[in-house]
Amino acid sequence: MTVPSTEPRRLRGRRPWSRRTPRAADLAIGIPLLSLGSGWLVLDAMFGHGLEVWAAQGDLGRIETADLAYMARIQHFLVVVLVVALLALLSRAPWTVLSQVLLALLAGVLLTVAQHHWDRSHPDSTGSTGSVSEGAGSRHRENNAFRMPGDMPPASAQDARREADRVEPVLERLWKSGTWDPKSVREALLEVGFQEERFGPKGEWLGGTLTVRDMGSRFETDHYVTPEGASVGVRVHDDACVTAFVQKTNYEVKTSGPYIEGGCFEPPAGH
């Protein structure tokens, strides 16, 4: 006589969390994810955000845009890491979970440092990343009014554009030849007809329109550095300027009104 078994029949399919992921598979997933994630964070900090800030050449608006974009990338990275950690937890893959926790900690540290730097440079911010109140933004613009160029009347703007068209081919030629020191740039522009601006002992203007100087020092990490290259300013009229620069990576020529402080040269940030 056969006694029927009272043991429930086993389900053929198992849910992901019904059994632990084999250690070999767990390590094969967790270690590459940890390496790729940490590598991306480091490379993005150095060559993503770092190069964007360097390419801004002191332009406050571009630096702020780069900072906000960098913090947004870290936030998105954190979301992805937490989702992967949750899936690994459901699959009972402890080593993968650990790798994602380590990545989340690293990303959190980088985000905290970036946020701290942002808060220090924007004391009027509301504390929410990327959002600044209307009043704080207004105060920020007022505090940086000295870095805003003046307006150019249409006639002056046309004259400035004409002078810019004389400067640009000279800088293009120098850049292609690998020459961007201030002395060589000044000599090349004098050769095409520009005259160097001169002032008397009391600061009175004596003539000329051209000024060429170095790129100016800026703070990087823990010290000031002066990049190779030359900055160019041409005072076309009292209300019109040509500003330009040439360096190893690129060159640029643009027109604008003069600055309240600095004339044709944009004053440095942190005034």
Side-chain angles (χ1 to χ4, degrees):
M1 179 176 180
T2 304
V3 179
S5 174
T6 60
E7 182 180 354
R9 299 177 62 184
R10 293 183 180 180
L11 297 176
R12 293 185 178 182
R14 291 185 175 183
R15 297 181 180 180
W17 55 85
S18 63
R19 60 187 175 86
R20 181 173 176 172
T21 300
R23 177 176 295 182
D26 191 6
L27 291 173
I29 296 174
I31 293 176
L33 286 178
L34 178 61
S35 301
L36 291 173
S38 57
W40 183 86
L41 287 172
V42 172
L43 291 175
D44 185 50
M46 296 176 58
F47 299 104
H49 178 247
L51 287 179
E52 287 176 353
V53 172
W54 177 79
Q57 294 296 316
D59 188 322
L60 185 62
R62 292 177 61 187
I63 292 175
E64 289 179 346
T65 301
D67 289 343
L68 291 174
Y70 175 59
M71 288 188 285
R73 289 197 299 272
I74 298 180
Q75 290 174 333
H76 294 157
F77 180 85
L78 270 172
V79 172
V80 173
V81 166
L82 293 177
V83 169
V84 174
L86 178 60
L87 294 176
L89 184 62
L90 292 176
S91 300
R92 298 177 65 184
W95 292 106
T96 301
V97 173
L98 177 60
S99 72
Q100 299 309 290
V101 170
L102 292 176
L103 282 178
L105 290 174
L106 177 58
V109 170
L110 292 175
L111 182 59
T112 300
V113 172
Q115 182 67 61
H116 180 65
H117 178 270
W118 175 270
D119 292 341
R120 288 183 60 188
S121 58
H122 299 78
D124 294 328
S125 63
T126 62
S128 174
T129 303
S131 63
V132 180
S133 68
E134 183 177 352
S138 177
R139 289 192 295 273
H140 178 71
R141 288 190 294 272
E142 291 175 0
N143 293 336
N144 289 273
F146 70 99
R147 302 187 72 238
M148 303 296 180
D151 296 329
M152 286 190 298
S156 296
Q158 290 181 0
D159 292 343
R161 184 68 261 168
R162 188 161 46 247
E163 294 299 278
D165 291 341
R166 296 175 59 201
V167 172
E168 187 163 5
V170 176
L171 297 190
E172 181 182 12
R173 172 172 54 83
L174 292 172
W175 179 68
K176 289 181 177 179
S177 67
T179 304
W180 41 73
D181 61 281
K183 180 180 178 181
S184 299
V185 173
R186 182 184 300 106
E187 292 176 350
L189 290 171
L190 292 177
E191 289 177 359
V192 298
F194 288 99
Q195 294 184 356
E196 193 166 8
E197 195 169 22
R198 306 180 308 279
F199 296 92
K202 296 182 180 181
E204 66 274 18
W205 181 75
L206 299 179
T209 61
L210 173 69
T211 300
V212 180
R213 63 189 191 188
D214 60 37
M215 295 290 287
S217 61
R218 59 174 178 264
F219 191 79
E220 290 188 2
T221 309
D222 59 355
H223 63 286
Y224 283 90
V225 298
T226 302
E228 294 183 3
S231 296
V232 178
V234 179
R235 187 187 298 271
V236 182
H237 298 301
D238 290 339
D239 55 7
C241 290
V242 174
T243 57
F245 69 82
V246 56
Q247 57 184 359
K248 183 177 181 179
T249 55
N250 63 333
Y251 69 93
E252 182 182 61
V253 181
K254 61 182 181 180
T255 62
S256 69
Y259 297 89
I260 297 176
E261 301 178 16
C264 290
F265 292 96
E266 180 180 354
H271 175 68

